[in-house]
Amino acid sequence: GGGPAPPPPPPAGSHARLPLRSTRVHASTITAEEEEERSSAAPSLGRAIQADFPILDQTVHDDKPLLYLDSAATSQNPRVVTQALRAFSERSSDPEAARASCEAAREEVAGLIHASSPREVVFTRGATEAINMVARGWGDLHVSEGDEIILSVMEHHSNLVPWQALAERKGAKLKFVTLTQDQTYDIEAFKALLNPGKTKIVAMNHVSNVLGAVNPVEEVVRLAHEAGAKVALDACQSVPHMPVDVQTLGVDFLSASGHKMLGPTGIGFLWAPLETLESMDTWQTGAGTTEGVSLASLADGATISKDLRPVPWRLEAGQPPIAEAAALGEACRYLRGLGMERVHDYEVELGGYLWSKLSEIKGISLYGPAPDTEAGKGRGALLAFNVPGVHSNDLAFFLDQEGVAIRSGHHCTQPLHRALGVGGSARASLYVYNTKEDIDRLVVTLKRTLKLFSDLGFGVEEEPPCPLVSKPDPTLRDPGMQRPCTDLWPHELPEAEDDRSGDDAPAASSEAR
């Protein structure tokens, strides 16, 4: 491709495999002196780059400063990204320059994830389309009746429904990895589900968008490959936040979304080794996928395969997303300029501070492993939580009126929330442009909002048992699994006197991808 050569990639970091636990938090045990010391030692990366994100410098709802804490759903764009979109829209007229810009962006993406070649990167409309491309283009060719597909209960809907559709088309069987008591990916359960010769593909996320910790990808890959299965990785919550090296991970497919990694909406990518891409069916055809079309090529008995372009272009049917690709390339360049190790270290610091401050709230339930535990080392800077007596949607609405934007609902992970015994959760998710001061404002506003609910007669004074250790409710069923959802949770949990709240209706707000 044309365009300037990308800067050298940052050194690949080694990341310890971190198992994913919901924790009932009591009072914080961190002293004021320790908190002050941690705050003074905090990196200032977020403060240094906030000026690059003009959307963060605005007021809402009667001149309240906007505090954006929903980056796990959609991140904001630095100026270089919006300028790239504007430049293409206002000045683009040369098709060769446009093509070169698109290929330069492909090189940037390849550099960010340490791909062997830019040709291993296929542009898509987003991660959802990328996963569907694998399910259609690879799955339809290689999955047969009686074969098995392994997923987990913590997957985003976009990493569940395409595989469910594949299983329906081919007569295959879906299996689900459950959670351990600590809400981690149960690697022992995964081993038990593996069926050499029958398991054809394992689909999993790299980082849960609710639990926040890093899944044991490399161990899953090793075991899956030994059983003859492929591994498809949903990397939407990892590629934007930490060094990702596809060659080190060893996965067969990786998908990510541009709008979660400082880029524009409407674009994402699929990565796979060249030989894997070449083995895939062209699930969409038309302009851009063939070298040429003639009446002879359309005659009875003619085949399309001999006229197809090489990968990745034969997998990118239709008009390329040139403006979006150029902007995504700038987002990758921006992240690589910051250094992904630096980004990750800063966000780990933010995530630990977020956990410690929210844990000050009496009775709050925090989901995922605590960052000061072995399971939670290096977890992402997002935290889902619930407060007794207050619905997450109500909480998010009142915070929004104060200018604090969080996410509420099931976050497109209904099976996971059913397994946790709750209908939804509130979630604060940070990115490299956030600061500890943002977290302080969140906590102050949250406490004030909860005081308002208490004054209105909502909420509870005493701490009830955590819903995660409540009495199992056999009425909580996931229709896609044909069994009580409590089967997804360890049975040895202690029983409590109160009943778990139901999940009769979907939450009002959810994460889109």
Side-chain angles (χ1 to χ4, degrees):
S14 65
H15 305 290
R17 178 178 63 81
L18 302 176
L20 292 176
R21 151 189 115 177
S22 168
T23 303
R24 185 63 171 199
V25 179
H26 302 277
S28 173
T29 58
I30 300 175
T31 67
E33 292 76 17
E34 289 173 331
E35 197 63 73
E36 182 178 355
E37 180 181 351
R38 287 177 63 174
S39 180
S40 63
S44 57
L45 179 58
R47 198 173 303 112
I49 67 171
Q50 275 190 340
D52 293 343
F53 298 84
I55 196 172
L56 300 178
D57 185 22
Q58 64 172 298
T59 58
V60 295
H61 302 312
D62 299 325
D63 290 331
K64 296 182 177 69
L66 171 65
L67 175 54
Y68 188 76
L69 301 175
D70 195 21
S71 292
T74 292
S75 63
Q76 299 302 333
N77 304 138
R79 280 192 173 88
V80 292
V81 169
T82 56
Q83 287 169 353
L85 283 169
R86 186 179 303 114
F88 180 83
S89 300
E90 294 177 353
R91 296 195 298 272
S92 175
S93 61
D94 182 351
E96 290 300 321
R99 186 177 299 110
S101 175
C102 198
E103 295 310 313
R106 200 186 306 274
E107 292 180 2
E108 290 289 349
V109 174
L112 181 68
I113 62 173
H114 301 274
S116 298
S117 166
R119 287 185 57 201
E120 296 178 339
V121 176
V122 182
F123 286 130
T124 64
R125 290 180 300 162
T128 301
E129 183 175 71
I131 294 168
N132 275 275
M133 182 180 291
V134 177
R136 284 283 187 178
W138 188 89
D140 281 358
L141 292 177
H142 298 279
V143 175
S144 304
E145 184 174 359
D147 285 339
E148 298 172 356
I149 302 165
I150 297 180
L151 311 172
S152 85
V153 299
M154 67 177 71
E155 300 307 317
H156 191 282
H157 294 170
S158 289
N159 204 27
L160 289 173
V161 180
W163 306 112
Q164 178 188 24
L166 172 62
E168 289 179 357
R169 289 195 304 272
K170 308 299 289 187
K173 180 180 180 180
L174 297 178
K175 293 183 172 182
F176 298 89
V177 176
T178 54
L179 305 176
T180 67
Q181 175 114 18
D182 287 337
Q183 290 185 2
T184 68
Y185 187 96
D186 192 336
I187 195 68
E188 296 304 318
F190 171 70
K191 292 176 183 178
L193 293 178
L194 267 179
N195 188 355
K198 281 295 185 180
T199 302
K200 291 302 171 70
I201 194 156
V202 178
M204 66 185 301
N205 60 58
H206 198 173
V207 176
S208 167
N209 71 328
V210 174
L211 303 177
V214 183
N215 276 325
V217 175
E218 292 182 44
E219 185 173 2
V220 168
V221 167
R222 177 181 60 81
L223 295 168
H225 286 176
E226 289 176 356
K230 299 282 190 183
V231 178
L233 186 68
D234 171 1
C236 286
Q237 301 296 338
S238 59
V239 166
H241 302 285
M242 62 181 65
V244 171
D245 187 327
V246 292
Q247 299 180 67
T248 299
L249 288 174
V251 296
D252 302 284
F253 306 96
L254 179 144
S255 56
S257 290
H259 72 100
K260 297 182 187 291
M261 51 188 290
L262 306 184
T265 59
I267 190 169
F269 65 88
L270 169 69
W271 170 88
L274 273 179
E275 59 271 21
T276 302
L277 293 177
E278 289 167 348
S279 73
M280 292 172 59
D281 191 17
T282 305
W283 75 301
Q284 290 181 331
T285 57
T289 64
T290 65
E291 296 289 1
V293 177
S294 67
L295 293 181
S297 69
L298 299 174
D300 291 343
T303 60
I304 192 175
S305 58
K306 65 183 179 64
D307 296 319
L308 289 175
R309 298 181 67 193
V311 294
W313 303 285
R314 72 172 175 85
L315 299 174
E316 297 174 345
Q319 173 68 21
I322 300 171
E324 291 84 357
L328 178 59
E330 287 298 334
C332 292
R333 186 186 295 271
Y334 185 91
L335 286 170
R336 296 175 75 194
L338 294 177
M340 292 310 297
E341 287 280 6
R342 184 185 180 201
V343 169
H344 185 234
D345 290 345
Y346 179 68
E347 291 190 18
V348 167
E349 178 76 15
L350 283 182
Y353 188 72
L354 175 65
W355 182 286
S356 71
K357 298 302 288 185
L358 284 182
S359 69
E360 297 173 357
I361 298 173
K362 184 178 181 180
I364 195 170
S365 291
L366 306 180
Y367 301 116
D372 59 353
T373 65
E374 186 64 28
K377 286 182 180 177
R379 61 165 289 155
L382 66 89
L383 186 52
F385 60 94
N386 271 312
V387 178
V390 182
H391 196 285
S392 62
N393 290 347
D394 296 331
L395 192 59
F397 173 81
F398 279 89
L399 288 176
D400 175 75
Q401 300 306 299
E402 298 299 318
V404 179
I406 66 168
R407 177 71 43 162
S408 66
H410 53 67
H411 318 304
C412 287
T413 57
Q414 286 176 302
L416 174 58
H417 279 86
R418 288 189 180 107
L420 301 179
V422 293
S425 61
R427 185 188 67 190
S429 55
L430 304 101
Y431 204 0
V432 67
Y433 40 67
N434 288 117
T435 65
K436 286 190 173 183
E437 289 78 11
D438 293 341
I439 297 169
D440 292 337
R441 180 182 165 196
L442 165 67
V443 173
V444 168
T445 309
L446 179 57
K447 288 180 177 179
R448 187 165 62 238
T449 302
L450 292 175
K451 177 64 166 57
L452 171 64
F453 277 107
S454 177
D455 291 344
L456 293 173
F458 298 95
V460 291
E461 292 299 325
E462 298 300 324
E463 296 182 27
C466 175
L468 295 180
V469 296
S470 295
K471 189 175 181 179
D473 182 354
T475 66
L476 290 175
R477 290 182 178 272
D478 189 319
M481 299 182 185
Q482 302 301 315
R483 63 175 182 269
C485 206
T486 49
D487 287 356
L488 307 176
W489 193 252
H491 292 288
E492 64 271 20
L493 292 174
E495 292 188 351
E497 292 300 322
D498 69 325
D499 288 328
R500 180 185 309 176
S501 60
D503 188 27
D504 296 328
S509 176
S510 63
E511 175 180 345
R513 178 157 71 199

